[in-house]
Amino acid sequence: MNTKKFQKTADLFQMLSHPVRLQMMDELRKREACVCHLQAVTGRPQAYISQQLRILRDADLVVDEKDGQNVFYHLRSEAVRMLLQELLGDADVPSHPKDCTCPFCSS
Amino acid sequence: MNTKKFQKTADLFQMLSHPVRLQMMDELRKREACVCHLQAVTGRPQAYISQQLRILRDADLVVDEKDGQNVFYHLRSEAVRMLLQELLGDADVPSHPKDCTCPFCSS
DNA sequence: TAAATATATGCAGAGAAAGATATATATTGA
DNA sequence: TCAATATATATCTTTCTCTGCATATATTTA
């Protein structure tokens, strides 16, 4: 059935139709980031970020990579990166929130 | 606030995260189409199609143009057309359902 | 003019899905 | 042990989706 093709595409759009997930992915296209960084950037609690990351991981939109204490996430799909590029414009420089203790922010 | 940028983009994705609306837009990128054509293509009742078209119209994704008895819709945003191109592939030839009485199908 | 057709719109209700929040526990590494 | 993270669960609220039905309007045709 052709319906499946549209359903699959609709599911992808569903993943992306979420302001916080979008903000997280926008941050991720600047540079890989750990949970605490995304916490600081979005102002959301850790459990919330973890939940959204799991949703993104289950949808194959991000990949995680453990490095010592931290788990760093980065975008997986080049197509999604291009989508974000088209709709959000060029990637900004990475945020540098004061209340983030990740290696990037504390250095 | 930056939140608005993500919200706006999320709203666009929300519009697109709907299989029937996607199917309708997929048909529209092949050729302009009237309500009855989209009815035949999707197998949905007229009121349903009109409702979804209004949602798409309110989101500036489609434009309507009256021609005699029929109202023809076409895609408005080139960016959305490119999105569909990227995610759904090349546009197919227009559908030609038997139970459609529109000028294109009855000729 | 009367009837048929195409379309738009509104409303109501039911069910499903999504979102936010809080909490508790487990794992792992420094 | 502490800090970072993952995961599970529960609840509450909101939004979406679909359907059905009724109606209004404009246009075309008989």
Side-chain angles (χ1 to χ4, degrees):
Chain A
M1 301 306 181
N2 236 356
T3 328
K4 278 185 188 167
K5 179 170 86 175
F6 297 115
Q7 185 60 58
K8 195 180 163 192
T9 307
D11 289 344
L12 171 61
F13 282 132
Q14 180 68 30
M15 285 302 118
L16 299 168
S17 69
H18 187 289
V20 179
R21 285 200 291 268
L22 270 183
Q23 187 177 9
M24 291 164 63
M25 284 189 279
D26 182 49
E27 192 66 27
L28 289 180
R29 77 190 173 119
K30 304 173 186 174
R31 185 173 57 197
E32 55 175 352
C34 62
V35 175
C36 70
H37 185 80
L38 297 173
Q39 248 181 282
V41 166
T42 63
R44 305 282 172 152
Q46 176 266 325
Y48 183 86
I49 299 296
S50 273
Q51 274 175 9
Q52 301 304 336
L53 281 172
R54 184 166 67 140
I55 291 172
L56 293 176
R57 213 184 324 126
D58 288 350
D60 285 331
L61 293 182
V62 301
V63 193
D64 62 307
E65 196 179 347
K66 191 155 193 172
D67 181 10
Q69 215 169 0
N70 299 302
V71 178
F72 287 92
Y73 285 83
H74 56 91
L75 292 186
R76 177 171 198 166
S77 160
E78 271 314 303
V80 167
R81 186 185 292 275
M82 286 168 61
L83 273 192
L84 297 177
Q85 167 74 26
E86 191 165 330
L87 292 172
L88 296 175
D90 287 340
D92 213 345
V93 294
S95 307
H96 199 299
K98 290 183 180 29
D99 52 337
C100 180
T101 60
C102 83
F104 291 129
C105 289
S106 58
S107 67
Chain B
M1 302 312 174
N2 237 357
T3 329
K4 279 184 187 166
K5 177 170 89 176
F6 297 114
Q7 186 60 58
K8 194 180 165 192
T9 307
D11 289 344
L12 171 62
F13 283 132
Q14 180 69 28
M15 285 301 119
L16 298 168
S17 69
H18 187 289
V20 179
R21 286 200 289 268
L22 270 184
Q23 187 178 10
M24 290 165 64
M25 285 190 280
D26 183 49
E27 192 65 28
L28 289 180
R29 77 191 173 119
K30 303 173 186 175
R31 185 172 59 198
E32 55 175 351
C34 62
V35 175
C36 71
H37 185 80
L38 297 172
Q39 249 181 279
V41 166
T42 63
R44 306 283 172 150
Q46 176 264 321
Y48 183 84
I49 298 297
S50 274
Q51 275 174 12
Q52 301 303 337
L53 281 171
R54 183 165 70 142
I55 292 173
L56 293 177
R57 215 186 319 129
D58 288 348
D60 286 331
L61 294 181
V62 302
V63 193
D64 62 308
E65 197 179 346
K66 191 158 194 173
D67 181 9
Q69 216 170 358
N70 300 300
V71 178
F72 287 93
Y73 283 83
H74 57 90
L75 291 187
R76 176 169 199 166
S77 160
E78 270 315 302
V80 168
R81 186 186 292 275
M82 286 168 63
L83 273 192
L84 298 177
Q85 167 75 26
E86 191 165 330
L87 292 172
L88 296 175
D90 288 339
D92 213 345
V93 293
S95 307
H96 200 299
K98 290 183 177 32
D99 51 337
C100 180
T101 60
C102 84
F104 291 128
C105 289
S106 58
S107 68

